Amino acid sequence: MPAPIKITYYSDILCVWAWIGQRRLDQLVTKFGDRIEIESHFCSVFSDAWGKIEGGKGFDGFNAHLCEVVAQFPHVELNPRVWLEARPRSSASAHLFVKAIELIETEDGVALPWPERASAKAAWALRCRFFEQGQDISSYEVQCTIADALGVARARIEEKLCTSEAITALLRDYQTCSDHAIKGSPTFVMNEGRQRLFGNVGYRLIEANVLELLRNPPEDQASWC
């Protein structure tokens, strides 16, 4: 059996397009199964969320923009008070929490496919808590309620935070983004960086790229994508 096609996925948990586009990533996994391998990393679009928003449309304007955008996608439902009440200062705290869970999975030898891992479920739960429920996901207590629901011990997460293992893993993600010139969230990277899809990209386009790679062209033949 040929090796699975590796898809490296970069996103910021506070990015609305990553929340909206999660359905496309899930559909890829449903259709292609073990023929693809998802490797996820975080990028730092909202590392200074307040500075980013206040330097742009402001919280009122950004809320109005998100409401207008999300109205086009009936598969998701946005909390109408998003960014008006709960205002995470940074996505980094949520990223750090997920990296701690990833480290625990590695330590335990977890080899589940991407969508079944606790870390992937935690990232999705954080997005839903913010965009759907309007909770401040930079709060450690909010994060811990997600850990409890997933059966991940708080003490083990705190260990990864206190030993700096989690922050090291997160900074490694951010450095990877810099090294590979990742400009935003979400970004799909395939074919050793030759194929990149960024932002609000339709599922059919992503699928076409995967199908072309699965066709397995000879080494001297470039992919058409």
Side-chain angles (χ1 to χ4, degrees):
M1 183 176 179
I5 299 299
K6 181 178 176 181
I7 301 174
T8 309
Y9 180 70
Y10 299 87
S11 69
D12 188 300
I13 278 181
L14 287 175
C15 171
V16 71
W17 293 113
W19 172 60
I20 291 170
Q22 178 82 23
R23 186 178 185 180
R24 298 161 191 164
L25 189 57
D26 292 343
Q27 181 60 30
L28 282 179
V29 174
T30 298
K31 175 163 184 174
F32 295 105
D34 59 7
R35 290 184 292 169
I36 63 173
E37 176 187 345
I38 307 295
E39 178 184 289
S40 63
H41 296 284
F42 290 123
C43 53
S44 57
V45 177
F46 286 90
S47 56
D48 176 10
W50 285 24
K52 180 180 180 65
I53 294 171
E54 290 174 334
K57 298 175 180 291
F59 287 103
D60 288 341
F62 195 52
N63 166 268
H65 169 67
L66 293 189
C67 289
E68 182 180 345
V69 164
V70 175
Q72 304 171 51
F73 299 93
H75 71 282
V76 290
E77 184 174 349
L78 183 72
N79 186 297
R81 301 296 296 169
V82 71
W83 288 116
L84 297 182
E85 294 175 357
R87 294 178 176 177
R89 287 188 175 272
S90 174
S91 58
S93 174
H95 293 170
L96 194 63
F97 169 72
V98 176
K99 298 311 287 188
I101 296 178
E102 286 182 4
L103 288 166
I104 292 168
E105 290 172 328
T106 300
E107 191 171 86
D108 291 349
V110 174
L112 295 172
W114 175 81
E116 298 175 23
R117 297 174 198 162
S119 55
K121 292 178 180 179
W124 176 243
L126 286 163
R127 289 185 163 109
C128 292
R129 290 288 186 98
F130 180 66
F131 288 109
E132 294 178 8
Q133 300 176 33
Q135 296 183 21
D136 182 355
I137 59 170
S138 67
S139 162
Y140 183 60
E141 191 55 39
V142 170
Q143 294 164 11
C144 282
T145 62
I146 292 172
D148 294 344
L150 293 171
V152 181
R154 296 188 184 197
R156 297 193 68 189
I157 292 173
E158 289 166 4
E159 177 190 8
K160 299 307 177 188
L161 299 176
C162 291
T163 61
S164 296
E165 291 175 80
I167 189 64
T168 299
L170 178 58
L171 292 176
R172 191 177 296 123
D173 267 17
Y174 290 169
Q175 185 60 51
T176 297
C177 290
S178 177
D179 292 345
H180 293 87
I182 301 302
K183 301 299 184 183
S185 168
T187 298
F188 294 83
V189 178
M190 293 171 262
N191 198 10
E192 298 182 347
R194 297 181 185 89
Q195 291 163 228
R196 296 184 178 215
L197 300 169
F198 163 64
N200 182 31
V201 179
Y203 172 75
R204 295 301 178 192
L205 181 57
I206 304 169
E207 180 188 58
N209 277 256
V210 174
L211 287 170
E212 178 65 10
L213 290 174
L214 287 170
R215 192 174 63 87
N216 194 25
E219 292 184 3
D220 61 350
Q221 178 186 339
S223 168
W224 66 269
C225 297

